Amino acid sequence: MARTKDQADGTAFVIFGISGDLAHRKLIPALYALVAQDFLPGPLYLVGMARRKWNGDSLRDEFHKSLNETLEGQPLDEDAFQSLFHGACYVSADFNDPQGFARLKETLESLPVKNVLYYLSTPPEVYETIIEQLGAHQLDKALPGWSRIVVEKPYGEDLDSALDLDRKIHRVFSEDQIYRIDHYLGKDTVQNILVLRFANAIFEPLWNNHYIDHVQIMVAESIGVGSRINYYDSAGVIRDIFQNHLLQLLCLVAMEVPVAFQSNSVRDEKIKVLDVLRPMRGKTAIQNTFRAQYGAGKVDGERVKGYVDEVGHATTTETYMAARVYLDNWRWAGVPFYLRSGKRLPERLTQISVHFKAAPIFLFDWCNITGEAPNRLVFNIQPDEGINLSFGAKIPGQTDQITPVAMQFDYKTTFGQEPPEAYQRLLLDALNGDPMLFTRSDEVRAAWTFTTRILDAWREQELKKLPEYPAGSWGPKGTEDLIRRDGREWFQSTGEQENCD
Ligand code: BG6
């Protein structure tokens, strides 16, 4: 059990909002998996804080039940569970009650720990209150070792609010203590983007505007907004996915090689990508983006309500958006990046497809080629994690016809297992003090600067109603127009090989 490691290096893992959905679905299962694999760097003591009238015992009972549900039939490793919850404490308090934070301090001081990691797993409205209270009670320096804070998204709702939040956090914590989570960066296949690009010499010479025609990045979800309707209706897909996950994926695909595989070197290169995003204001933003909302329809064979019916009133919050963006630097000048994301699309599919230019002269007779070159590199981020490279091959027999075929790397076939959950990697990195997969203050600022201009343009447009797409479809006609006017098509593949009829 993890507890045999040096006790002097113990860490308190404090989860604000431990009774909430994120702690149940992601944080505790990730910590449990880390304990079960003995990956934790030292002894860890869980401390939960929320309003519910729980105590240490009820906390343990609650998560015993909930982990059993999350494991969906796999047996719970009781040793790992007991190890994770050994000495677990719970502070029941309202976040604006100073007494609660005084009790938290006493709790921390009573534990055999040297370090503390605070995790904000609450609605964003209470981030500032918690941070102020942590500062007022000097909880950033309550223990002799390090203290860090992990902040969940959304990190602000536009540029001003993100800067304001940053200022308030910086009053208590220095930048190197702040870990802003974008869970996409914890996905193995997302990390594989840099590995493919920079561990192999064969792709990089082609990775520029001489050989690449365009790039598409798609985060498609079949789920709707579910119980998060209040948050979502004030966010929309632009704040929920575009400002963070989509722009982060763009950074990884487009960045220059870092001088070293170290947190600041990697993040220095990502920020350069955000800095060269061609600003889109007013009419330009309207012409280069498209937004829509799902109506009633069918997903996975089931009839589902439209977004407006779920919210219960008319709203122009977008559940789908697509954008064409450009990076104004030497490598990418003239190469469009098409980004899109939506809820209630036909399937859950996150993909990055890099579309190469056609050979200079067509010598062959292609079948199944609709004007597009056959060379395409596709990162399947999820599900069916892997990478595919498609190219032209001759159809066997007495014909000279050529068809696109694929070289496929499939994570599960090659490694015999699915990649681990993103949160496992991120929590471990935060405990080990490695911020590479977390977003730095300047990245957040640059991503919001770009996004806020689009939000401003949308607001000025004063639309009364958004175009609607039936749930279970790939979006309305306007989204096709955004890419077709450039002579291109949206690409989404589930990995099957294309064959000539
Ligand atoms: C979250 C968004 O950041 O990412 C959710 O808030 C979205 O709306 C989720 O469903 C998607 O994450 P994943 O890992 O399932 O692609």
Side-chain angles (χ1 to χ4, degrees):
M1 291 207 297
R3 245 142 256 292
T4 54
K5 291 182 180 163
D6 183 7
Q7 202 72 8
D9 276 336
T11 298
F13 195 106
V14 180
I15 304 181
F16 295 105
I18 197 165
S19 56
D21 186 55
L22 183 74
H24 283 83
R25 279 191 311 111
K26 301 288 183 189
L27 305 184
I28 300 295
L31 286 174
Y32 159 80
L34 291 173
V35 174
Q37 296 163 89
D38 202 13
F39 279 169
L40 289 181
L44 183 132
Y45 287 81
L46 257 185
V47 180
M49 184 162 172
R51 267 183 312 204
R52 299 258 170 102
K53 302 272 175 250
W54 289 349
N55 55 33
D57 288 340
S58 43
L59 185 77
R60 190 175 302 116
D61 293 347
E62 166 73 20
F63 282 101
H64 195 269
K65 195 165 120 237
S66 129
L67 266 175
N68 267 312
E69 283 162 19
T70 321
L71 289 170
E72 292 176 344
Q74 282 173 49
L76 182 76
D77 175 343
E78 289 291 342
D79 271 0
F81 179 83
Q82 294 308 335
S83 176
L84 176 60
F85 279 85
H86 167 82
C89 305
Y90 181 77
V91 179
S92 164
D94 209 278
F95 295 126
N96 46 32
D97 173 13
Q99 297 300 321
F101 285 83
R103 290 205 301 280
L104 174 62
K105 192 169 189 183
E106 280 166 26
T107 305
L108 291 180
E109 286 166 353
S110 73
L111 291 171
V113 292
K114 187 166 102 172
N115 314 306
V116 57
L117 187 139
Y118 298 108
Y119 200 111
L120 296 185
S121 171
T122 63
E125 301 83 72
V126 290
Y127 286 179
E128 291 182 14
T129 311
I130 296 174
I131 290 155
E132 273 166 26
Q133 293 284 353
L134 288 174
H137 290 84
Q138 302 205 322
L139 276 157
D140 53 314
K141 28 185 123 46
L143 297 175
W146 54 256
S147 59
R148 299 184 186 129
I149 184 161
V150 181
V151 189
E152 266 294 331
K153 64 172 271 279
Y155 198 86
E157 55 186 43
D158 56 14
L159 178 60
D160 286 347
S161 56
L163 292 180
D164 194 44
L165 177 59
D166 235 19
R167 265 191 300 272
K168 289 185 171 135
I169 299 193
H170 280 144
R171 271 185 214 147
V172 184
F173 295 96
S174 57
E175 181 60 23
D176 62 356
Q177 293 176 292
I178 307 170
Y179 288 67
R180 299 175 193 80
I181 277 221
D182 181 318
H183 78 281
Y184 263 60
L185 297 179
K187 291 181 190 279
D188 249 47
T189 34
V190 170
Q191 291 155 43
N192 234 346
I193 300 171
L194 292 193
V195 175
L196 177 119
R197 290 191 54 200
F198 304 134
N200 302 293
I202 58 172
F203 298 106
E204 208 44 29
L206 307 179
W207 214 256
N208 54 53
N209 56 3
H210 298 295
Y211 297 100
I212 292 178
D213 176 72
H214 74 282
V215 178
Q216 298 189 23
I217 307 180
M218 174 182 74
V219 176
E221 298 188 273
S222 57
I223 54 167
V225 291
S227 59
R228 297 162 75 224
I229 201 107
N230 285 340
Y231 150 72
Y232 197 89
D233 202 43
S234 61
V237 71
I238 190 167
R239 293 183 177 90
D240 192 45
I241 303 273
F242 179 86
Q243 182 271 343
N244 36 76
H245 306 330
L246 275 175
L247 290 185
Q248 284 293 325
L249 293 176
L250 171 71
C251 287
L252 298 175
V253 174
M255 67 188 247
E256 298 299 318
V257 60
V259 292
F261 196 56
Q262 281 165 1
S263 58
N264 274 336
S265 314
V266 170
R267 296 189 299 176
D268 285 348
E269 295 308 328
K270 280 164 57 193
I271 181 76
K272 289 183 198 163
V273 175
L274 296 169
D275 281 345
V276 297
L277 263 169
R278 188 183 299 169
M280 301 203 289
R281 296 186 178 84
K283 222 166 70 190
T284 313
I286 301 300
Q287 284 163 353
N288 286 286
T289 59
F290 177 80
R291 58 196 160 130
Q293 205 175 61
Y294 61 80
K298 237 180 176 182
V299 178
D300 294 333
E302 271 185 39
R303 293 220 69 79
V304 295
K305 280 189 188 170
Y307 181 72
V308 169
D309 283 340
E310 284 181 305
V311 186
H313 55 80
T315 163
T316 53
T317 300
E318 77 292 342
T319 60
Y320 175 94
M321 83 171 277
R324 177 177 63 175
V325 308
Y326 285 95
L327 297 172
D328 286 332
N329 62 10
W330 274 44
R331 187 191 280 263
W332 296 115
V335 177
F337 287 76
Y338 299 94
L339 316 183
R340 65 180 162 149
S341 177
K343 298 242 184 242
R344 288 287 190 229
L345 298 181
E347 55 190 303
R348 177 174 186 250
L349 189 60
T350 299
Q351 251 176 8
I352 300 175
S353 49
V354 178
H355 301 248
F356 290 89
K357 290 185 174 169
I361 292 176
F362 258 37
L363 291 180
F364 303 103
D365 176 16
W366 288 90
C367 84
N368 267 350
I369 286 284
T370 47
E372 213 198 311
N375 298 133
R376 197 170 48 215
L377 185 70
V378 180
F379 295 85
N380 283 323
I381 307 290
Q382 62 190 20
D384 305 329
E385 291 83 352
I387 301 175
N388 293 343
L389 178 66
S390 57
F391 56 94
K394 184 183 170 303
I395 296 172
Q398 309 308 318
T399 162
D400 289 329
Q401 277 199 325
I402 310 294
T403 193
V405 292
M407 274 196 226
Q408 302 190 338
F409 151 62
D410 169 63
Y411 213 104
K412 202 164 152 201
T413 314
T414 306
F415 296 113
Q417 57 184 17
E418 307 276 2
E421 262 285 315
Y423 274 89
Q424 290 180 33
R425 171 67 193 257
L426 294 173
L427 298 190
L428 191 60
D429 282 4
L431 286 166
N432 281 328
D434 182 353
M436 176 158 17
L437 302 178
F438 295 82
T439 41
R440 215 168 50 185
S441 173
D442 52 355
E443 288 179 71
V444 174
R445 188 175 58 232
W448 270 123
T449 301
F450 183 72
T451 308
T452 303
R453 291 190 185 117
I454 302 176
L455 280 166
D456 290 345
W458 285 0
R459 198 172 312 110
E460 281 159 23
Q461 215 189 358
E462 290 182 353
L463 288 184
K464 296 269 178 296
K465 195 173 178 329
L466 292 186
E468 202 177 277
Y469 58 100
S473 71
W474 283 108
K477 183 176 167 301
T479 188
E480 298 299 339
D481 296 344
L482 183 80
I483 189 162
R484 277 199 188 141
R485 68 185 183 209
D486 296 340
R488 303 185 175 100
E489 295 287 334
W490 287 120
F491 171 79
Q492 60 261 338
S493 101
T494 40
E496 72 277 6
Q497 194 137 321
E498 298 152 72
N499 286 313
C500 281
D501 298 327

